[in-house]
Amino acid sequence: MNTREQNRTWFFKGMKDGIPIAMGYFAVAFALGIAAKKAGMTASQAGIMSITMLASAGQYGAITVIAGGGGYVRMAVTTLIVNLRYLLMSCALSQKVDPNLGLRHRFLLSYPVTDEIFGIAMAVPGRLNPFYNYGAATVAAPGWTLGAILGASAGAILPQKVENALSVALYGMFLAIIIPAGKKNRTVAGIVAIAMMSSFLFTKIPVLGEISSGMQIIVLTVLISGAVAVFFPVREESEGGEPGEP
């Protein structure tokens, strides 16, 4: 099988594996679209934000800053901090692709680095063919963007009670992220509890309560993640053998 045929095969395999991801993205992005509408954004603005940033937590952080009347700098800093984990994922992916992979492919690979696409990419045995990620992104990214656009559009016509009910899906997304991790690791569960309590105190303590919600996200993320990195560092696993070619 020549290179072109291999790329085509991996592309369609990525599309197939990306279908369930796209379905999940649509549901979560729909809730994000409703939140964007409540923050004063239009459906087109929600769509542009979604197609340029495939990150639920980062997008929610940006929407929160917008809803709180924060400026561009605060929104940029918030999304940067919330999305820092994708830098680590990108470093891991760079070790899985061919060392001779061109810069153009590396830039293209950086766009669809999400938790889910990263997960299926790292599960690929041997070296990662970039066309696998391209195929997954071809299905998943439109699902994410379409969900946000329809969510923002529906937020303008749905009754308030239905809108509030659908917004619960956003909290369900975060619970789906933290509960499995908390069950596997008591440290993670403790960190989640501390973060929730700290966020609650920020809203109740007089001086801290005056800080905008966007700045609260920045402060809490930096302080808590910094403390965890110092007191609970992640131990590196022993390095295995070289992966084989797919």
Side-chain angles (χ1 to χ4, degrees), residues 50-125:
S50 297
I51 197 65
T52 55
M53 180 169 58
L54 301 178
S56 55
Q59 191 167 335
Y60 180 71
I63 292 173
T64 301
V65 173
I66 293 173
Y72 293 116
V73 174
R74 184 175 300 171
M75 180 173 60
V77 173
T78 300
T79 34
L80 174 64
I81 294 175
V82 174
N83 291 335
L84 274 178
R85 71 183 188 277
Y86 296 120
L87 176 63
L88 302 178
M89 294 182 188
S90 298
C91 291
L93 283 175
S94 70
Q95 301 303 305
K96 191 170 178 61
V97 298
D98 190 327
N100 298 320
L101 188 67
L103 186 62
R104 175 172 58 91
H105 282 295
R106 292 180 183 271
F107 271 117
L108 291 174
L109 278 174
S110 67
Y111 169 68
V113 177
T114 66
D115 299 318
E116 295 76 17
I117 294 180
F118 171 79
I120 62 174
M122 293 302 292
V124 171

Side-chain angles (χ1 to χ4, degrees), residues 3-243:
T3 302
R4 179 172 295 182
E5 291 176 344
Q6 288 181 349
N7 292 341
R8 185 185 301 112
T9 299
W10 279 109
F11 183 84
F12 285 116
K13 178 173 175 53
M15 290 185 67
K16 179 182 177 181
D17 293 345
I19 291 175
I21 294 177
M23 296 173 64
Y25 279 1
F26 180 87
V28 174
F30 192 92
L32 277 172
I34 293 177
K37 180 62 180 179
K38 294 175 68 174
M41 298 176 64
T42 64
S44 59
Q45 289 172 337
I48 293 173
M49 174 182 282
S50 297
I51 197 65
T52 55
M53 180 169 58
L54 301 178
S56 55
Q59 191 167 335
Y60 180 71
I63 292 173
T64 301
V65 173
I66 293 173
Y72 293 116
V73 174
R74 184 175 300 171
M75 180 173 60
V77 173
T78 300
T79 34
L80 174 64
I81 294 175
V82 174
N83 291 335
L84 274 178
R85 71 183 188 277
Y86 296 120
L87 176 63
L88 302 178
M89 294 182 188
S90 298
C91 291
L93 283 175
S94 70
Q95 301 303 305
K96 191 170 178 61
V97 298
D98 190 327
N100 298 320
L101 188 67
L103 186 62
R104 175 172 58 91
H105 282 295
R106 292 180 183 271
F107 271 117
L108 291 174
L109 278 174
S110 67
Y111 169 68
V113 177
T114 66
D115 299 318
E116 295 76 17
I117 294 180
F118 171 79
I120 62 174
M122 293 302 292
V124 171
R127 292 292 184 188
L128 175 66
N129 186 308
F131 282 84
Y132 176 77
N133 285 40
Y134 300 159
T138 299
V139 177
W144 178 259
T145 305
L146 182 61
I149 293 174
L150 293 181
S153 300
I157 60 177
L158 288 177
Q160 188 64 39
K161 291 183 179 180
V162 177
E163 182 180 321
N164 292 337
L166 288 172
S167 297
V168 175
L170 193 60
Y171 299 98
M173 175 196 69
F174 286 109
L175 290 176
I177 294 174
I178 63 177
I179 289 178
K183 286 183 177 181
K184 294 180 180 179
N185 192 315
R186 291 184 179 180
T187 302
V188 173
I191 294 168
V192 171
I194 292 173
M196 294 174 63
M197 183 59 66
S198 300
S199 180
F200 175 77
L201 292 176
F202 258 68
T203 62
K204 296 300 180 182
I205 297 177
V207 177
L208 298 179
E210 297 177 359
I211 302 176
S212 66
S213 57
M215 185 57 67
Q216 288 180 16
I217 294 175
I218 296 175
V219 173
L220 288 176
T221 302
V222 172
L223 291 179
I224 295 176
S225 60
V228 170
V230 172
F231 294 106
F232 303 99
V234 176
R235 306 299 180 186
E236 294 186 1
E237 299 179 357
S238 58
E239 186 176 356
E242 287 294 326

